[in-house]
Amino acid sequence: MNLLTMEHLTKAYTERLLLDDTELSIHEGDKIGVIGVNGTGKSTLLRIVAGLEATDEGKVTKGRSVTIGYLAQQPDFKEDHTVLQAVIDGNANERNRWTLESDARQMIASLHIPDENQPIRELSGGQRKRAALARVLLGEYDILVLDEPTNHLDNGMAAWLEEFLLHFRGAVLMVTHDRYFLDRVSNRIIELDHGKIYNYPGNYSEFLRLKEARQNIEIASERKRQSLLRTELAWLARGARARSTKQKAHIERIEKMQQVAAPIEEQQMEMSSVVTRMGRKTIEAEHLSKRYGDRVLFEDYSYIFLRGERIGIIGENGCGKSTLLKILTGNELPDSGTVTIGETVSIGYFAQDAREMDEQMRAIDYVKEVGEYVTTTDGKITAAMLLERFLFDGSMQYSPIGKLSGGERRRLQLLRVLMSAPNVLILDEPTNDLDIRTLTILEDYLDSFEGIVIVVSHDRYFLDRIVRRIFAFEENGKIQQYEGGYSDYLNAYELRHPSQSEPGNTKADRTERRTQSAPEAENKNARSHEKKLKFTFKEQREFDTIEEDIEALETRISELEDEMQANAASYGRLTELNAEKEAAEEELMQKMERWEYLTELHEQIQAQQEKNDGDKNRI
């Protein structure tokens, strides 16, 4: 069922064309992730869908009874309301009046807002965003429009939100830079690029494959067009008879070919590793403790940060992660303990609560405050050249900061930090407000960065990609060390705390995410055979052929992926192929689960047989 259609959509902001005669449809059951470089108009598109902003041109058609819930990046509340009142506000109707308050309390608890009676005006920015998310999710809407819903959510809350949206029966249109979240929730990705909307069926992984295929097709088509145009122009240069009708048509065709715009190559944000020399002494934390009132944030934390280390710091919101970073950078004092910083250490601190920017200042002047030139591995380059590498073209460089989007400002702040040539990078939630393309380049940059990286983040993908050691805030002020990335931490945490696994992140939960659960009938069948020590005739036949079945399914999935790449330009065909591929993957996972069960049963039968044979021999 079609819920909303947008046709010939055009929208400009000052001199920037955000949407250029493009279109979008939202259908029931769609879970759409919106991606694109900061400043391309993602939030504007969401506001248009929500009916909060008008288009310059085009038509938006919505079903007569379709309702839309909207989560803004900066939520608006009545400041004198309590959290509970704010979450309930606007959600009451005849159907839910008996359960609304209890449902609201449950939503508030799920999003870890500590006091439902606390006035909204006393909440932090992250708590306000979570209260706004609770208010939207509590409503009964056909379309949820969510702008950065995963910002300010810790990993357990992000997993809870994934489950909520997967079971939501309506449509979802969301902007998020959490790649694991997009992979888990989305069944369709739309990309905003130079004013156009590109549709890709499937999740984020499928998007990466299909986008590459689309770009390859565009490049091949452009190569063919240029080759044909050269041939035609050579013909024209030999002298066409202008009065011939056929020759005139030929000339017109050449002119049309010349007017076709070539595909725009994706501009890369180049980031050379710029590091100040570091001596042997780095940062040494000894017996650090910090508390607020009766609440202990951390106690007796000691660690020596070594050159080249990649440290991730995780924990629930409000546990003290940012406070620890501020102590390490000297911006806050511990209650006890010391931090010793080596003389050659140069810290680049990308704070979560970044300092205010002068909105009248031009972007290039903001960068020049650090220096006119910066020395990189490629030699000396000017501030203007560095801005160009960070996707700030000439007009943007001389525009006031006030005209930049929130994400573009964060990118500008990151550039300012990096061009100071630090040898220790301390990043507090760097993935908030940065688009995926910027994050990808930042990750590539950090791969070659020779200094120390200390990062606080809830972005599971970013942690898996970057860090090699995790410090996790646990109960009673203890900071526990784990080796590896975020996924390694989860596995180790479960072994150490089998009864305290993070909500939504147990091994069983992750297995369920990959398999989407085997059918209940098969679960019952498996349980009924748990103590059985011989195959039935049907099970024996299944055991004999199941490996061949799995191999055939894997081959078919590979063939479907090749076919999807070959049909990247056809949305309809891609949708059909993607549905067939998902069905094949589902069947494959069920077959593999069944194979594990049958193999385990086979091993038990053999062990029992060996035991029986041994007993007979002893007799």
Side-chain angles (χ1 to χ4, degrees):
M1 176 182 172
N2 190 24
L3 301 177
L4 183 141
T5 302
M6 309 171 79
E7 301 172 281
H8 303 294
L9 192 62
T10 299
K11 181 71 178 181
Y13 177 70
T14 60
E15 71 279 358
R16 190 185 305 186
L17 187 61
L18 299 179
L19 300 167
D20 182 14
D21 191 24
T22 193
E23 59 186 33
L24 173 67
S25 293
I26 301 176
H27 302 88
E28 190 173 6
D30 276 346
K31 304 291 193 297
I32 304 172
V34 183
I35 64 175
V37 175
N38 290 132
T40 54
K42 300 187 298 294
S43 293
T44 299
L45 175 66
L46 264 57
R47 288 179 58 82
I48 292 172
V49 171
L52 300 174
E53 191 161 330
T55 64
D56 295 339
E57 295 178 22
K59 182 172 68 172
V60 179
T61 307
K62 184 182 71 170
R64 184 175 301 175
S65 60
V66 171
T67 56
I68 299 175
Y70 173 65
L71 173 71
Q73 277 196 41
Q74 303 296 329
D76 184 31
F77 291 104
K78 295 176 181 177
E79 297 297 318
D80 58 339
H81 273 191
T82 65
V83 171
L84 182 60
Q85 288 172 326
V87 171
I88 289 175
D89 188 26
N91 283 322
N93 58 51
E94 283 298 317
R95 293 189 301 275
N96 66 14
R97 61 177 178 172
W98 303 111
T99 61
L100 181 61
E101 191 167 313
S102 63
D103 291 343
R105 287 196 168 98
Q106 184 177 354
M107 195 76 71
I108 289 168
S110 297
L111 291 169
H112 297 189
I113 304 171
D115 184 359
E116 65 183 43
N117 296 313
Q118 187 176 4
I120 284 289
R121 61 176 175 272
E122 296 179 3
L123 298 185
S124 66
Q127 289 171 334
R128 290 172 69 95
K129 184 66 179 277
R130 297 203 301 275
L133 180 59
R135 179 173 63 184
V136 171
L137 298 183
L138 188 64
E140 298 179 351
Y141 299 109
D142 299 299
I143 303 175
L144 288 178
V145 178
L146 309 176
D147 199 347
E148 296 289 3
T150 56
N151 278 7
H152 307 293
L153 299 187
D154 61 36
N155 299 310
M157 284 187 276
W160 174 86
L161 181 58
E162 286 177 2
E163 294 300 324
F164 182 95
L165 295 180
L166 280 169
H167 291 93
F168 177 66
R169 293 184 178 181
V172 179
L173 182 71
M174 58 184 172
V175 171
T176 178
H177 305 141
D178 187 326
R179 286 157 285 184
Y180 278 164
F181 193 88
L182 284 171
D183 236 9
R184 168 71 170 141
V185 175
S186 299
N187 56 26
R188 183 174 155 204
I189 298 290
I190 64 171
E191 180 186 24
L192 268 65
D193 188 18
H194 295 92
K196 298 298 183 183
I197 294 176
Y198 295 93
N199 276 279
Y200 302 88
N203 60 10
Y204 180 71
S205 297
E206 288 296 312
F207 154 74
L208 292 177
R209 284 194 285 271
L210 296 178
K211 180 179 179 180
E212 182 181 10
R214 174 179 70 82
Q215 290 176 328
N216 289 338
I217 289 171
E218 288 179 347
I219 291 170
S221 298
E222 174 62 13
R223 197 180 298 123
K224 184 176 180 180
R225 183 182 73 88
Q226 292 291 349
S227 176
L228 182 59
L229 186 58
R230 280 195 299 270
T231 303
E232 298 284 16
L233 287 172
W235 168 85
L236 192 62
R238 286 197 297 269
R241 290 174 294 174
R243 295 190 180 185
S244 166
T245 303
K246 290 185 178 179
Q247 299 293 13
K248 284 183 179 179
H250 206 150
I251 293 171
E252 289 173 0
R253 188 167 70 250
I254 292 174
E255 290 173 345
K256 286 181 181 178
M257 289 175 63
Q258 289 177 317
Q259 292 168 6
V260 172
I264 300 172
E265 292 187 18
E266 190 168 276
Q267 190 177 359
Q268 294 299 322
M269 179 168 36
E270 301 175 13
M271 299 171 66
S272 301
S273 180
V274 188
V275 179
T276 304
R277 187 189 66 83
M278 183 187 296
R280 295 181 63 183
K281 193 169 186 179
T282 57
I283 299 177
E284 300 179 6
E286 297 182 88
H287 307 293
L288 296 181
S289 297
K290 186 70 177 180
R291 68 172 61 219
Y292 285 120
D294 296 331
R295 185 171 172 227
V296 177
L297 297 182
F298 49 88
E299 268 189 324
D300 198 28
Y301 173 69
S302 298
Y303 191 74
I304 298 175
F305 295 89
L306 303 178
R307 181 173 179 172
E309 281 201 303
R310 303 289 186 268
I311 304 295
I313 300 176
I314 65 173
E316 293 185 352
N317 290 327
C319 66
K321 303 184 298 296
S322 295
T323 301
L324 177 59
L325 294 190
K326 289 175 182 177
I327 290 173
L328 293 177
T329 56
N331 292 310
E332 193 165 327
L333 295 175
D335 293 339
S336 60
T338 60
V339 175
T340 306
I341 299 177
E343 292 182 0
T344 60
V345 169
S346 173
I347 295 177
Y349 180 35
F350 187 55
Q352 185 177 358
D353 49 349
R355 69 182 182 88
E356 290 294 321
M357 305 172 75
D358 182 355
E359 295 198 352
Q360 301 304 315
M361 180 181 286
R362 299 179 303 181
I364 192 167
D365 295 330
Y366 180 75
V367 174
K368 281 184 175 180
E369 280 190 339
V370 178
E372 295 279 343
Y373 299 89
V374 60
T375 303
T376 75
T377 54
D378 302 323
K380 285 187 177 182
I381 61 174
T382 65
M385 292 166 62
L386 198 60
L387 279 162
E388 190 79 33
R389 294 186 180 190
F390 272 75
L391 308 183
F392 290 99
D393 61 23
S395 61
M396 290 178 68
Q397 291 180 24
Y398 289 90
S399 294
I401 290 174
K403 288 189 176 182
L404 300 180
S405 70
E408 287 171 330
R409 295 187 192 195
R410 289 291 281 168
R411 195 197 312 158
L412 191 64
Q413 290 167 341
L414 177 62
L415 169 58
R416 183 182 168 107
V417 169
L418 295 179
M419 77 174 299
S420 66
N423 48 33
V424 176
L425 272 175
I426 298 182
L427 309 174
D428 194 354
E429 295 290 0
T431 62
N432 282 359
D433 301 316
L434 293 181
D435 59 79
I436 291 175
R437 198 158 136 217
T438 303
L439 290 176
T440 301
I441 303 299
L442 174 60
E443 289 159 358
D444 291 341
Y445 169 80
L446 293 177
D447 285 341
S448 62
F449 183 73
E450 296 179 357
I452 298 169
V453 178
I454 307 169
V455 56
V456 165
S457 180
H458 293 137
D459 189 318
R460 298 157 292 179
Y461 185 100
F462 187 81
L463 291 170
D464 272 343
R465 175 73 172 77
I466 294 301
V467 309
R468 305 189 197 115
R469 178 167 294 154
I470 294 280
F471 284 112
F473 278 67
E474 297 185 357
E475 294 180 356
N476 302 319
K478 184 174 179 59
I479 300 177
Q480 184 65 50
Q481 177 177 321
Y482 296 87
E483 299 305 309
Y486 181 75
S487 297
D488 299 311
Y489 150 75
L490 284 180
N491 293 330
Y493 184 88
E494 287 172 21
L495 291 175
R496 186 172 294 185
H497 310 280
S499 63
Q500 301 177 23
S501 296
E502 256 190 83
N505 277 320
T506 65
K507 189 173 183 179
D509 290 326
R510 295 196 302 280
T511 300
E512 183 180 0
R513 289 177 202 176
R514 291 191 297 269
T515 64
Q516 297 293 304
S517 299
E520 183 63 21
E522 182 165 316
N523 289 339
K524 291 179 180 178
N525 187 41
R527 287 194 294 271
S528 69
H529 287 289
E530 284 176 354
K531 297 181 181 180
K532 185 176 180 181
L533 292 180
K534 73 172 184 176
F535 280 140
T536 64
F537 176 75
K538 181 180 178 182
E539 285 174 335
Q540 183 64 58
R541 290 188 61 186
E542 187 180 5
F543 182 68
D544 292 339
T545 60
I546 196 166
E547 290 187 3
E548 295 176 4
D549 295 342
I550 289 173
E551 185 178 352
L553 283 166
E554 289 174 335
T555 301
R556 180 56 184 153
I557 290 170
S558 179
E559 291 171 350
L560 286 167
E561 288 177 343
D562 292 341
E563 197 171 353
M564 288 173 72
Q565 289 187 357
N567 290 273
S570 172
Y571 175 74
R573 181 59 179 149
L574 280 175
T575 303
E576 294 172 5
L577 291 170
N578 187 63
E580 187 177 348
K581 178 171 171 283
E582 286 182 350
E585 288 174 337
E586 177 70 22
E587 185 179 355
L588 176 63
M589 294 308 299
Q590 292 178 18
K591 285 282 186 185
M592 292 180 74
E593 281 190 343
R594 187 66 175 161
W595 176 84
E596 289 176 0
Y597 163 70
L598 292 171
T599 301
E600 183 179 347
L601 180 57
H602 177 66
E603 290 171 354
Q604 290 176 357
I605 291 170
Q606 285 187 322
Q608 183 67 61
Q609 185 63 47
E610 290 172 3
K611 182 177 181 299
N612 292 340
D613 292 344
D615 292 342
K616 289 178 182 178
N617 291 335
R618 282 194 294 273
I619 292 172

